[in-house]
Amino acid sequence: MSYVNNIKMFVRVYELGSMSAAARDQRTSPAVASARISELEKHLGVRLFNRTTRSLQPTENGRIFYEGARKVLEAIDEAEAAVVDVTQNPRGSIFVAAPLGIGRRFIAPHVPAFKDMYPQIDVRLRLSDRNVDVTAEGLDVAFHLGLLEDSTLKVRLVADCPRVLCAAPAYIARRGMPVDGAALVAGHHDCLNLRFPGAREFQWTLQTPEGPRRFEITGPFESDDGDVLTGWALDGRGIVMKPIFEVAEHLREGRLVPVATATPPTATQLSCLSQHRRFRDPKIRLFVDFIVARIKADMAARMQGLMLEPNG
């Protein structure tokens, strides 16, 4: 087995905390992953992990080796990128993460075209609405929907994204039209929440004449999949807060209508995140430039001609 492949496996086991997860990440079997770690431990003459039937924890030697191993892999990546002829022969795998809705609508449809242009680049796309750790999960690129706190990552703003509160006409007929955030709370409206482990937004931040204000809303339904929330809203089950581009078609055709427009939601942002060292890789820059251009075009097309008027 290649020593470099053994190091790669060790780094992914360390970062993911699981032999089976690292095996899936590296597209091999848990048995091969275990064999690579055992061979590396034999070569080094130390144990890198303490294994039990329920857990796997790095030893002190494992923690020390990880820092050096990660630098070795970074150096290899940079050396390979330096000798690749970007215009003729970019190659390798790109690991990409994105929110479910963004990935389904704006990224996945364009991956085949990117592959056609650069046949020696493979794209590994992972979709989830949870917050991802770009460094710990070994990602090359992560698209993030939301306002970012200070980050050590390279951040490229893709788009400012206004949001809307909306509901189906059937819901409004049954529960009435709330004109603002205060009416949402006073009327105990059914608000559909995006929640997942690590989620921070358990309130809705709305724009008021006095500035942004957080409103304590309630509701019987929540999910970690934004498209599920949209489906519930279309079914008349409650009010949802969404980036306008996600529900533009439903708004244009009247399946959803804006509510509480006297206090609209604060806008959010779509950003592209990458580790600084990885963004120097030509294939990463090619992919990001390609996808960002298409996201902007697709979003503009979705928003074209859509006008939202206050109902308050």
Side-chain angles (χ1 to χ4, degrees):
M1 295 180 184
S2 163
Y3 185 60
V4 172
N5 286 338
N6 293 348
I7 293 177
K8 286 181 180 178
M9 183 61 71
F10 163 75
V11 167
R12 297 310 287 140
V13 171
Y14 187 100
E15 292 173 341
L16 297 175
S18 163
M19 200 76 71
S20 58
R24 289 192 299 271
D25 181 82
Q26 294 296 297
R27 301 175 66 127
T28 189
S29 68
V32 170
S34 180
R36 287 181 177 173
I37 297 302
S38 295
E39 184 171 302
L40 188 58
E41 289 176 328
K42 182 178 179 181
H43 174 81
L44 296 171
V46 297
R47 290 190 66 80
L48 298 172
F49 295 101
N50 289 320
R51 304 173 180 81
T52 68
T53 55
R54 294 187 177 182
S55 68
L56 182 147
Q57 297 293 329
T59 63
E60 182 61 26
N61 285 322
R63 285 187 284 270
I64 293 170
F65 187 69
Y66 170 75
E67 294 303 322
R70 188 166 53 83
K71 292 176 183 177
V72 167
L73 296 182
E74 290 174 5
I76 291 172
D77 287 343
E78 292 183 4
E80 289 179 346
V83 299
V84 168
D85 182 346
V86 177
T87 61
Q88 298 297 327
N89 200 30
R91 66 182 64 196
S93 295
I94 303 175
F95 291 87
V96 183
L100 286 163
I102 296 292
R104 289 169 178 161
R105 293 175 180 85
F106 301 112
I107 298 177
H110 299 298
V111 167
F114 179 80
K115 178 67 174 177
D116 290 342
M117 291 178 65
Y118 304 102
Q120 295 190 69
I121 300 178
D122 296 333
V123 178
R124 315 296 185 200
L125 180 61
R126 305 168 184 169
L127 302 183
S128 174
D129 279 332
R130 68 177 177 84
N131 289 324
V132 299
D133 187 323
V134 174
T135 302
E137 297 181 38
L139 296 168
D140 296 305
V141 177
F143 290 88
H144 176 83
L145 185 63
L147 299 179
L148 286 169
E149 300 177 352
D150 291 341
S151 176
T152 59
L153 299 170
K154 182 175 180 60
V155 179
R156 177 172 175 177
L157 177 63
V158 178
D160 290 310
C161 304
R163 294 188 286 185
V164 64
L165 297 176
C166 54
Y171 177 86
I172 296 168
R174 187 174 74 254
R175 296 292 308 276
M177 170 67 80
V179 298
D180 57 19
L184 283 178
V185 175
H188 301 287
H189 278 274
D190 295 335
C191 298
L192 306 172
N193 294 305
L194 180 69
R195 293 192 181 180
F196 47 88
R200 297 183 179 182
E201 191 168 296
F202 299 103
Q203 302 168 316
W204 283 352
T205 302
L206 308 180
Q207 302 174 49
T208 74
E210 295 76 34
R213 176 184 163 192
R214 296 177 71 83
F215 288 84
E216 297 274 359
I217 47 84
T218 59
F221 302 111
E222 62 183 52
S223 176
D224 61 355
D225 184 332
D227 284 349
V228 168
L229 300 183
T230 301
W232 286 337
L234 289 166
D235 196 39
R237 298 296 180 172
I239 296 170
V240 68
M241 179 193 291
K242 301 293 289 185
I244 295 176
F245 66 79
E246 285 196 16
V247 291
E249 181 180 353
H250 301 310
L251 293 168
R252 190 177 291 110
E253 297 182 2
R255 292 189 294 269
L256 295 174
V257 296
V259 305
T261 55
T263 53
T266 55
T268 189
Q269 293 179 329
L270 177 63
S271 302
C272 179
L273 314 179
S274 181
Q275 299 177 61
H276 285 269
R277 64 174 179 84
R278 295 202 178 188
F279 200 75
R280 293 196 292 269
D281 186 330
K283 68 177 180 289
I284 305 301
R285 295 199 305 271
L286 285 170
F287 178 79
V288 171
D289 289 345
F290 180 92
I291 292 296
V292 166
R294 281 149 183 81
I295 289 175
K296 289 182 176 181
D298 288 351
M299 283 189 174
R302 283 173 173 264
M303 299 285 285
Q304 187 172 9
L306 182 65
M307 300 292 292
L308 302 180
E309 297 294 338
N311 60 24

